[in-house]
Each structure stands twice: as structure tokens, then as C-alpha cells.
Amino acid sequence: MPFREVVGHRKLVALLARAVQHASLPPSLILAGPSGVGKRLLAVATAQALNCPNVERRTSNEEVPLDACGTCATCTRIARGVHPDVLIVEPGDSGAIKVEQVRDFIERAAYRPFEGRRRVVIIDEADALVPAAQNALLKTLEEPPSLSVFLLITARPDALLPTVRSRCPVLRFRPLGPDDVAAALVQRGRTPADARLVAATADGSVGRALEASAGDLGEARDVAVRVLLHAASNKDPGRRIEGAKELLAKTGGDLAAVREQLATELRAMASLIRDVELLSTSADSRALANPDVQPAIERLSAYRGERGIRAFTAVDRALMALDRNAGVKVVADWLVLQL
């Protein structure tokens, strides 16, 4: 996937394209940001731009002045993960990247590239590097081979040792906007209507959106509408907690499934509250994340202004609590009391 096909992150794409053009790319970089937003795709695009024999220079395009062709044998093999000069390192079956893996790619990176111009080492989920593996990497990051580039991809940069972080500039990725997520889904064969629905509750992550079905997300959004309406029409705490049962009604016995279902409903809820605020400002309805349920959004007018801000903040805190393994019933009950 060349730079031009990366969805979103235009400033980061332009920065890397210019760095490759001017041969000023740092020998090591940390690509940090939420899971599923395109960090690995951009790392692969960078490896292609560094090695493509048919690299395209676009003097008329200031944003992406240089790009790989994306179709030659080199680009195709890099995209498939089988090019000898582009090493992709991932956690093993244990969920960790061990010191033996690090020593292996350090040894390989010390040699000149076999075919391409630069050797690129992409460490995906770099936060899975065990401490000994991170320590083994330090000297190489400090004195990298002249023709090698190291790209560390992580959703949890704080899990890397300070000594590793201090040796690598950090590129920070933000969640993608709903339009960017929808565009990426359409590229992968989803219908525009399904893509829009899934994108609204994907929390800016194409990876999460690809795992979701439009039917499940539509049901989660319906639940979110009903819970918001119930909370808006009931001040009694007991009645509100009764309404919280709907958030956990169809999750079955698998705790992981229960947690994921609740998180999906909460992301749908946050998306709806955002749309309520957009409508209250007379914004263009094309900016809505949920344009297909605009009548339902209009019924949620109680969440305009300060109450909407409080509700959105509460949903965000509830999602963070789920990430920290708080009990799902505790989270659901607490949330409906805050709406």
C-alpha cells in the first residue's frame, strides 16, 4: 500500500514522504497511537517508498512529493511480507517478542540490503518486547547500521522502556474520523450504507470496524438510543438502573463477549450524543455520524448543551473503566446514573 492509498493521517504521510525524498528519515521511529488506525500500513508504505525501483516523484503534489508505484515485484513482496530486506517482527504464540527474535533481526540488519536500497525492520506491537529484548535492542538503536531503518509500532508507548523511547522520535497517530473509516471500509468491499454505520461506532479504528458486522452495530445503536431515552425520562435512580439491564441483555455468558458488547453499545452512545450536539448547532446533516437515524437523534434533544457534555464525559469514563477490567454491571449501573 503506497502513501497515496493510506486513509487519513495526511500530515504524517506527508512528513514521511518528504523525509524519504530528502534522505532525512531518522534511523529509528516509534509509530504510536490507537490500535487499528493504520500505523502498520504507513510503516509498510514507508518501506515501499524506500525500496521501490520505480519510485514516483511528483513535483506538482506538495503533500506527497514521492511515492512507491505499488505494483512492481518489490512493492508487492513488501506488502505480502516476503521481501528479504523488509523484516516484520511480531509477538509469538506467547504474546511476547523475546530476546532471541531481537538478536536474530539485529544480526540480519547488520548486513547490507540484498536487493533493495534500505533494510527496514518493522516491529509490530513493540510494547510486547520483553524487557530483556528491549535492552538487547538499545545499542542498535543508538548506533544503527547505516542502511537500516527501525520502525516500532505500538498502541502503548509507555510500555516501552524510557531508554528505548529516548532513542526514537515519536510519530503520534490519532483516531480516524468516521468519514475516513467509512472510506477504508468501502475500499474493502463494504456498501456505503454499511460502512457509514460501522464507522460511526468504530471509535476511529479501521481494525475494529473490520471486525464488526453492520447488523450487530445497528442493534447496539438501537440499545443505546433506548437507554438514553429511558435515562432522560426517569429521574428515579432505581428506574434508571432498571434501564441499565438492557445494556447487558444479549451478551450471553462469555465475560469477554459481555465486555465487548457493552463497549460497542457505549461507543454507539457516544456517537449519538455527538450527533445531538451537531444538530443543536444547525450543522450540516452530512456531518452526522448516524444520518440514517436522524429522527431518533432529534428525540434525544434532552442531551443538548451541558447535559450532553456530562453524558459524553461519563460514557468516555465508562469505556476507560472497561479497559481497566472494571465489572460490567458496575459500569453499566454507574453510567445510567450519570446520564
Coordinates of all heavy atoms in Angstrom, one line a residue, residues 287-320:
A287 N -22.7 16.0 8.2 CA -21.6 15.8 9.1 C -21.9 14.8 10.2 O -21.1 14.4 11.0 CB -21.2 17.1 9.8
L288 N -23.2 14.3 10.2 CA -23.6 13.4 11.2 C -23.0 12.0 11.0 O -22.8 11.6 9.9 CB -25.1 13.2 11.2 CG -26.0 14.4 11.5 CD1 -27.5 14.1 11.4 CD2 -25.8 14.9 13.0
A289 N -22.6 11.4 12.1 CA -22.1 10.0 12.1 C -23.2 9.0 11.9 O -23.0 7.9 11.4 CB -21.3 9.7 13.3
N290 N -24.4 9.4 12.2 CA -25.6 8.5 12.1 C -26.7 9.1 11.4 O -27.8 9.3 11.9 CB -26.1 8.1 13.6 CG -25.0 7.5 14.4 OD1 -24.7 6.3 14.3 ND2 -24.3 8.3 15.2
P291 N -26.5 9.5 10.1 CA -27.5 10.2 9.4 C -28.8 9.4 9.1 O -29.9 10.0 9.0 CB -26.9 10.6 8.1 CG -25.8 9.6 7.9 CD -25.3 9.3 9.3
D292 N -28.7 8.1 9.1 CA -29.8 7.2 8.8 C -30.8 7.1 10.0 O -31.9 6.6 9.8 CB -29.3 5.8 8.5 CG -28.4 5.2 9.5 OD1 -27.6 5.9 10.0 OD2 -28.6 4.0 9.8
V293 N -30.4 7.6 11.2 CA -31.4 7.6 12.3 C -31.5 9.0 12.8 O -31.7 9.2 14.0 CB -30.9 6.6 13.4 CG1 -31.0 5.2 13.0 CG2 -29.5 7.0 13.9
Q294 N -31.6 10.0 11.9 CA -31.7 11.4 12.4 C -33.0 11.6 13.2 O -32.9 12.4 14.2 CB -31.7 12.3 11.2 CG -31.7 13.8 11.6 CD -31.4 14.7 10.4 OE1 -30.8 14.4 9.4 NE2 -31.8 16.0 10.6
P295 N -34.1 11.0 12.9 CA -35.3 11.2 13.7 C -35.1 10.8 15.2 O -35.5 11.4 16.1 CB -36.4 10.3 13.0 CG -36.0 10.3 11.6 CD -34.5 10.2 11.6
A296 N -34.4 9.7 15.4 CA -34.1 9.2 16.7 C -33.1 10.2 17.4 O -33.3 10.5 18.6 CB -33.4 7.8 16.7
I297 N -32.2 10.8 16.7 CA -31.3 11.7 17.3 C -32.1 13.0 17.7 O -31.8 13.5 18.8 CB -30.2 12.1 16.2 CG1 -29.3 10.9 15.9 CG2 -29.3 13.3 16.8 CD1 -28.4 11.1 14.7
E298 N -33.0 13.4 16.9 CA -33.8 14.5 17.3 C -34.6 14.3 18.6 O -34.9 15.2 19.4 CB -34.7 14.9 16.1 CG -34.0 15.5 14.9 CD -34.8 15.6 13.7 OE1 -35.9 15.1 13.7 OE2 -34.3 16.2 12.7
R299 N -35.0 13.0 18.8 CA -35.7 12.7 20.0 C -34.8 12.7 21.3 O -35.3 12.7 22.4 CB -36.4 11.3 19.9 CG -37.5 11.2 18.9 CD -37.8 9.8 18.5 NE -38.1 9.0 19.7 CZ -38.0 7.7 19.8 NH1 -37.5 7.0 18.7 NH2 -38.3 7.0 20.9
L300 N -33.5 12.8 21.0 CA -32.6 12.8 22.2 C -32.2 14.3 22.5 O -31.1 14.5 23.0 CB -31.3 12.0 21.8 CG -31.5 10.5 21.6 CD1 -30.3 9.9 21.1 CD2 -31.9 9.8 23.0
S301 N -33.0 15.2 22.2 CA -32.7 16.6 22.4 C -32.4 17.0 23.8 O -31.8 18.0 24.1 CB -33.8 17.5 21.8 OG -35.1 17.2 22.5
A302 N -32.8 16.1 24.8 CA -32.5 16.4 26.2 C -31.0 16.4 26.4 O -30.6 17.0 27.5 CB -33.2 15.3 27.1
Y303 N -30.3 15.9 25.5 CA -28.8 15.8 25.7 C -28.1 16.9 25.0 O -26.9 16.8 24.7 CB -28.3 14.4 25.2 CG -28.8 13.3 26.1 CD1 -29.9 12.6 25.8 CD2 -28.1 13.0 27.3 CE1 -30.4 11.6 26.6 CE2 -28.6 12.0 28.2 CZ -29.7 11.3 27.8 OH -30.2 10.3 28.7
R304 N -28.7 18.0 24.7 CA -28.1 19.2 24.2 C -27.4 19.9 25.3 O -27.8 19.9 26.4 CB -29.1 20.1 23.5 CG -29.7 19.5 22.2 CD -30.7 20.4 21.6 NE -31.2 19.9 20.4 CZ -32.2 20.5 19.7 NH1 -32.7 21.7 20.1 NH2 -32.6 20.0 18.5
G305 N -26.3 20.7 24.9 CA -25.7 21.6 25.9 C -25.0 20.9 27.0 O -24.3 19.8 26.8
E306 N -25.1 21.4 28.2 CA -24.3 20.9 29.3 C -24.6 19.5 29.7 O -23.7 18.7 30.0 CB -24.6 21.8 30.5 CG -23.7 21.5 31.7 CD -23.9 22.4 32.9 OE1 -24.4 23.5 32.7 OE2 -23.5 22.0 34.0
R307 N -25.8 19.1 29.6 CA -26.2 17.7 29.9 C -25.5 16.7 28.9 O -25.0 15.7 29.3 CB -27.7 17.5 29.9 CG -28.0 16.0 30.2 CD -29.5 15.8 30.4 NE -29.8 14.5 30.9 CZ -31.1 14.1 31.2 NH1 -32.1 14.9 31.1 NH2 -31.3 12.9 31.7
G308 N -25.4 17.1 27.6 CA -24.8 16.3 26.6 C -23.3 16.2 26.9 O -22.7 15.1 26.8
I309 N -22.7 17.3 27.3 CA -21.2 17.2 27.7 C -21.0 16.3 28.8 O -20.0 15.5 28.8 CB -20.7 18.6 28.0 CG1 -20.8 19.5 26.7 CG2 -19.3 18.6 28.5 CD1 -20.5 21.0 27.0
R310 N -21.8 16.4 29.9 CA -21.7 15.5 31.0 C -21.9 14.0 30.6 O -21.1 13.1 31.0 CB -22.7 15.8 32.1 CG -22.4 17.2 32.8 CD -23.1 17.2 34.2 NE -24.5 16.8 34.1 CZ -25.5 17.7 33.9 NH1 -25.2 19.0 33.8 NH2 -26.8 17.3 33.8
A311 N -22.9 13.8 29.8 CA -23.2 12.4 29.3 C -22.0 11.9 28.5 O -21.6 10.7 28.7 CB -24.5 12.4 28.5
F312 N -21.5 12.7 27.6 CA -20.4 12.2 26.8 C -19.1 11.9 27.6 O -18.5 10.9 27.4 CB -20.0 13.3 25.7 CG -19.1 12.8 24.7 CD1 -19.5 12.3 23.5 CD2 -17.7 12.9 24.9 CE1 -18.6 11.9 22.5 CE2 -16.8 12.5 23.9 CZ -17.3 12.0 22.7
T313 N -18.9 12.8 28.6 CA -17.8 12.5 29.5 C -18.0 11.2 30.3 O -17.0 10.5 30.5 CB -17.6 13.7 30.5 OG1 -17.4 14.9 29.7 CG2 -16.4 13.5 31.4
A314 N -19.2 11.0 30.7 CA -19.5 9.8 31.5 C -19.3 8.5 30.7 O -18.7 7.5 31.1 CB -20.9 9.8 32.0
V315 N -19.7 8.6 29.4 CA -19.5 7.4 28.5 C -18.0 7.2 28.3 O -17.6 6.0 28.3 CB -20.2 7.7 27.2 CG1 -19.8 6.6 26.2 CG2 -21.7 7.7 27.4
D316 N -17.3 8.2 28.1 CA -15.8 8.1 28.0 C -15.2 7.5 29.2 O -14.3 6.6 29.1 CB -15.2 9.5 27.7 CG -13.8 9.4 27.2 OD1 -13.5 8.6 26.3 OD2 -12.9 10.1 27.7
R317 N -15.6 7.9 30.4 CA -15.0 7.3 31.6 C -15.4 5.9 31.7 O -14.7 5.0 32.2 CB -15.5 8.1 32.8 CG -14.9 9.5 32.9 CD -15.4 10.3 34.1 NE -15.0 9.6 35.4 CZ -15.5 10.0 36.6 NH1 -16.3 11.0 36.6 NH2 -15.1 9.4 37.6
A318 N -16.7 5.5 31.3 CA -17.1 4.1 31.4 C -16.3 3.3 30.5 O -15.9 2.1 30.8 CB -18.6 4.1 31.0
L319 N -16.0 3.7 29.3 CA -15.1 3.0 28.4 C -13.7 2.8 29.0 O -13.1 1.7 28.8 CB -15.0 3.7 27.0 CG -16.3 3.5 26.1 CD1 -16.2 4.5 25.0 CD2 -16.4 2.1 25.6
M320 N -13.2 3.8 29.6 CA -11.9 3.6 30.2 C -11.9 2.6 31.4 O -11.0 1.8 31.5 CB -11.4 5.0 30.7 CG -10.9 5.9 29.6 SD -10.0 7.4 30.2 CE -11.3 8.3 31.1

